[in-house]
């Protein structure tokens, strides 16, 4: 198939949706499904989130937040967005609703923002009313800032306790991941106002940032809570090989770059160690890389055979991966949509029990998987 231009450096139910076209029927583990195109009018979409009324919010990396409603993409972007550093992998990235959004109308955005010294992964919260953001306030920044446009991480997810998790890449400066005084290469846990929960693992430890929940990460771009256990899971980009699926444990060090299954893009060895004492091993490692992005656990009843599975987009593998998880174990996987869509950036379950995905391209699209 013809590959579209891709800018990634280095490396309510919906009412009467307009269907551009439906591809042929595919089969997964006995489940017949098809891919439906909803729109192809997006520029580098990065994340999707469903509003309580079934409308769908979509971030575009250059700095726009769009709404898909009543079967079409609304022409005017949402107003009141922050200024973003839209270079390389940076820009407007994730969008996440407050657990109490139906009452307070609060949502969260992650993005790269520029300031003294360079750019950093940033999180802001605001109220969404009448097609615009109001009271936008920055609540977190993965300091220190640095130059360059790589490895922002930027996924957002809430747990059952209403605490917000934020993934921050190490900005292509690998040693930052092992520095507890640095917020790069970490997964952070915050209250909904950006303050620090008192039971975070490094609260009160000299030389360590209290926002840190886990450390030793490279560029985690998928984050989701398991619907049964309530545990948080993440997928992260390795270098050349060594992509990871991780089960997050408070205070754990996930090894990068002291332990990795990958090598440098030049072919040079980064570390001779794939595992080290005192460091947490991945649940699953991909060699060669698939470039996992976005993460969702499926709980719906439209695809009964997929219940409990995790899904992640595989940017460099041109596929959607369905991953079997049993408690804390990886039990297998299969490659869906093989070579049908390039650069799947995010995947989410909709309120209708169907799966929705976006593709990160200049002519990026919103798609839906439905039973055939």
């Amino acid at each position: 198939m013809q590959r579209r231009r891709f800018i990634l450096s280095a490396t309510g139910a919906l009412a009467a949706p307009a269907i551009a076209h439906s591809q042929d029927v595919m089969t997964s583990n006995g489940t017949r499904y098809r891919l439906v195109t909803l729109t192809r009018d997006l520029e580098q979409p990065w994340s999707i989130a469903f509003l309580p009324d079934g409308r769908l919010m979509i971030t575009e990396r250059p700095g726009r937040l769009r709404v898909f409603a009543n079967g079409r993409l609304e022409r005017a972007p949402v107003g009141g967005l922050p200024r973003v550093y839209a270079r390389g992998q940076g820009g407007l990235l994730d969008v996440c609703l407050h657990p109490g959004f139906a009452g307070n109308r609060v949502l969260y955005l992650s993005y790269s923002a520029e300031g003294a010294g360079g750019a950093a992964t940033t999180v802001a919260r605001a109220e969404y009313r009448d097609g615009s953001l109001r009271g936008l306030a920055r609540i977190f920044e993965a300091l220190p800032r640095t130059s360059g446009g790589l490895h922002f991480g930027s996924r957002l997810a809430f747990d059952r306790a209403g605490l917000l998790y934020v993934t921050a890449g190490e900005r292509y400066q690998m040693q930052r991941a092992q520095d507890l005084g640095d917020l790069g290469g970490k997964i952070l846990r915050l209250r909904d106002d950006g303050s620090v929960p008192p039971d975070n693992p490094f609260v009160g430890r000299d030389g360590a940032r209290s926002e840190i929940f886990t450390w030793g990460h490279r560029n985690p771009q998928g984050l989701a809570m398991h619907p049964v256990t309530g545990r948080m899971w993440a997928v992260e980009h390795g270098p050349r090989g060594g992509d990871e699926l991780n089960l997050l444990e408070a205070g754990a060090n996930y090894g990068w770059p002291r332990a990795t299954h990958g090598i440098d893009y030049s072919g040079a060895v980064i570390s001779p160690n794939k595992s080290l004492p005192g460091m947490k091993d991945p649940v699953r490692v991909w060699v060669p890389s698939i470039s996992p992005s976005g993460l969702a656990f499926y709980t719906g009843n439209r695809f009964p055979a997929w219940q409990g599975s995790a899904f992640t987009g595989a940017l460099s593998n041109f596929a959607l991966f369905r991953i079997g998880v049993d408690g804390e174990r990886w039990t297998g996987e299969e490659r869906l949509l093989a070579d049908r869509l390039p650069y799947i950036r995010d995947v989410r379950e909709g309120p209708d029990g169907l799966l929705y995905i976006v593709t990160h391209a200049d002519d990026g699209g919103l798609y839906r998987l439905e039973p055939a």
Side-chain angles (χ1 to χ4, degrees), residues 114-259:
E114 197 170 18
T121 301
T122 304
V123 178
R125 59 175 275 165
E127 290 187 19
Y128 174 65
R129 297 185 184 277
D130 301 322
S132 185
L133 300 185
R134 299 182 180 181
L136 184 81
R138 183 180 296 187
I139 65 167
F140 171 78
E141 193 172 11
L143 298 173
R145 301 185 192 97
T146 188
S147 60
L150 301 179
H151 296 189
F152 289 96
S154 296
R155 289 296 177 187
L156 305 172
F158 278 93
D159 69 8
R160 288 176 177 167
L163 298 177
L164 175 65
Y165 293 71
V166 182
T167 74
E170 33 75 301
R171 301 289 278 111
Y172 207 53
Q173 297 175 355
M174 61 180 69
Q175 297 305 326
R176 292 183 62 179
Q178 290 297 317
D179 182 355
L180 285 172
D182 187 315
L183 294 175
K186 313 296 189 302
I187 295 179
L188 304 313
R189 187 172 70 158
L190 310 170
R191 288 171 166 161
D192 64 355
D193 61 359
S195 61
V196 176
D199 61 344
N200 267 10
F202 296 104
V203 169
R205 176 167 167 175
D206 289 344
R209 293 295 300 255
S210 58
E211 300 96 329
I212 296 171
F213 187 73
T214 59
W215 52 310
H217 298 285
R218 185 174 182 268
N219 191 22
Q221 289 194 343
L223 184 66
M225 184 189 72
H226 192 283
V228 175
T229 68
R231 300 282 301 277
M232 300 299 294
W233 291 70
V235 289
E236 98 180 48
H237 293 255
R240 187 171 159 187
D243 295 342
E244 298 179 0
L245 171 67
N246 287 309
L247 175 59
L248 302 187
E249 180 180 304
N253 183 347
Y254 288 79
W256 176 255
R258 294 177 58 195

Side-chain angles (χ1 to χ4, degrees), residues 22-310:
S22 178
Q23 297 196 13
D24 56 327
V25 174
M26 293 161 276
T27 303
S28 156
N29 194 28
T31 296
R32 289 162 53 84
Y33 68 97
R34 62 173 172 256
L35 177 71
V36 176
T37 304
L38 300 178
T39 182
R40 289 283 301 277
D41 294 327
L42 295 162
E43 183 181 5
Q44 301 163 24
W46 212 90
S47 178
I48 51 183
F50 281 92
L51 298 176
D53 60 8
R55 289 181 295 162
L56 184 58
M57 283 190 156
I58 309 167
T59 60
E60 291 180 309
R61 191 194 63 83
R64 292 178 296 272
L65 181 61
R66 309 293 298 278
V67 174
F68 184 88
N70 300 318
R72 63 181 180 272
L73 187 67
E74 294 185 356
R75 185 172 182 179
V78 172
L81 266 71
R83 182 177 180 180
V84 305
Y85 175 83
R87 300 180 190 174
Q89 296 170 355
L92 181 62
L93 303 173
D94 213 0
V95 56
C96 176
L97 304 187
H98 189 283
F101 179 88
N104 63 22
R105 308 296 294 177
V106 171
L107 59 75
Y108 296 77
L109 297 172
S110 68
Y111 56 101
S112 53
E114 197 170 18
T121 301
T122 304
V123 178
R125 59 175 275 165
E127 290 187 19
Y128 174 65
R129 297 185 184 277
D130 301 322
S132 185
L133 300 185
R134 299 182 180 181
L136 184 81
R138 183 180 296 187
I139 65 167
F140 171 78
E141 193 172 11
L143 298 173
R145 301 185 192 97
T146 188
S147 60
L150 301 179
H151 296 189
F152 289 96
S154 296
R155 289 296 177 187
L156 305 172
F158 278 93
D159 69 8
R160 288 176 177 167
L163 298 177
L164 175 65
Y165 293 71
V166 182
T167 74
E170 33 75 301
R171 301 289 278 111
Y172 207 53
Q173 297 175 355
M174 61 180 69
Q175 297 305 326
R176 292 183 62 179
Q178 290 297 317
D179 182 355
L180 285 172
D182 187 315
L183 294 175
K186 313 296 189 302
I187 295 179
L188 304 313
R189 187 172 70 158
L190 310 170
R191 288 171 166 161
D192 64 355
D193 61 359
S195 61
V196 176
D199 61 344
N200 267 10
F202 296 104
V203 169
R205 176 167 167 175
D206 289 344
R209 293 295 300 255
S210 58
E211 300 96 329
I212 296 171
F213 187 73
T214 59
W215 52 310
H217 298 285
R218 185 174 182 268
N219 191 22
Q221 289 194 343
L223 184 66
M225 184 189 72
H226 192 283
V228 175
T229 68
R231 300 282 301 277
M232 300 299 294
W233 291 70
V235 289
E236 98 180 48
H237 293 255
R240 187 171 159 187
D243 295 342
E244 298 179 0
L245 171 67
N246 287 309
L247 175 59
L248 302 187
E249 180 180 304
N253 183 347
Y254 288 79
W256 176 255
R258 294 177 58 195
T260 177
H261 289 253
I263 59 175
D264 191 75
Y265 296 111
S266 68
V269 174
I270 294 170
S271 170
N273 304 304
K274 293 181 171 61
S275 180
L276 284 172
M279 295 187 178
K280 187 79 171 173
D281 291 332
V283 174
R284 167 73 166 126
V285 178
W286 287 280
V287 178
S289 292
I290 66 167
S291 307
S293 186
L295 185 66
F297 286 96
Y298 183 72
T299 63
N301 57 17
R302 302 296 299 277
F303 299 103
W306 293 357
Q307 287 180 350
S309 296

